[in-house]
Amino acid sequence: QVQLVESGGGLLQAGGSLNLSCVASGSIFRMNTMGWYRQAPGKQRELVALMRSGRRTNVADSVQGRFTLSGDTYKNKVYLRMNSLQHEDKAVYYCNEKVMLVTGFSNDYWGQGTQVTVSS
């Protein structure tokens, strides 16, 4: 079983920057992805950024050019640099690790979430 711990959320004015951190501990797996999701009130949880097999990253269209994902899945650490924060970025941000199993199944593990609030 994996435990993920996020940190770095806070309250900022629009245009500000913030860094989120996620560290996973517990079991060690052969294959995994790590990333960040976010969920705003009244909306579904959405993928923000994803890192595959080391340091290959994909960032959602809504945050491209503003958010940068870094870290290393092999070290079970990912970071999200958020620049030019907008009101639409206000949400609870969750770290995720997806463990790929040789059976063809996968397991998802989630952090507790960290709140990002953007004021006017």
Side-chain angles (χ1 to χ4, degrees):
Q1 194 172 45
V2 177
Q3 181 177 357
L4 289 80
V5 179
E6 306 110 328
S7 63
L11 172 63
L12 295 174
Q13 294 190 51
S17 298
L18 202 62
N19 288 306
L20 304 183
S21 174
C22 175
V23 179
S25 62
S27 300
I28 299 175
F29 302 99
R30 182 181 297 273
M31 299 179 66
N32 70 307
T33 66
M34 295 186 71
W36 290 93
Y37 292 71
R38 67 184 181 185
Q39 187 167 22
K43 296 183 179 180
Q44 291 188 328
R45 187 173 299 185
E46 63 176 348
L47 176 66
V48 177
L50 182 67
M51 180 174 291
R52 302 182 178 91
S53 300
R55 289 181 282 208
R56 300 175 180 88
T57 63
N58 294 98
V59 180
D61 291 342
S62 60
V63 300
Q64 284 186 353
R66 299 188 297 115
F67 290 12
T68 302
L69 182 65
S70 63
D72 191 341
T73 64
Y74 298 151
K75 298 179 180 179
N76 294 303
K77 297 179 180 179
V78 290
Y79 309 94
L80 187 66
R81 174 66 176 178
M82 303 185 293
N83 293 326
S84 302
L85 283 164
Q86 304 170 178
H87 296 159
E88 293 77 13
D89 298 318
K90 180 182 178 181
V92 177
Y93 285 71
Y94 297 91
C95 185
N96 167 266
E97 182 168 32
K98 182 183 292 291
V99 178
M100 311 303 295
L101 307 177
V102 296
T103 60
F105 293 96
S106 63
N107 290 331
D108 280 292
Y109 300 91
W110 297 91
Q112 80 285 354
T114 184
Q115 177 71 51
V116 173
T117 301
V118 183
S119 67
S120 60

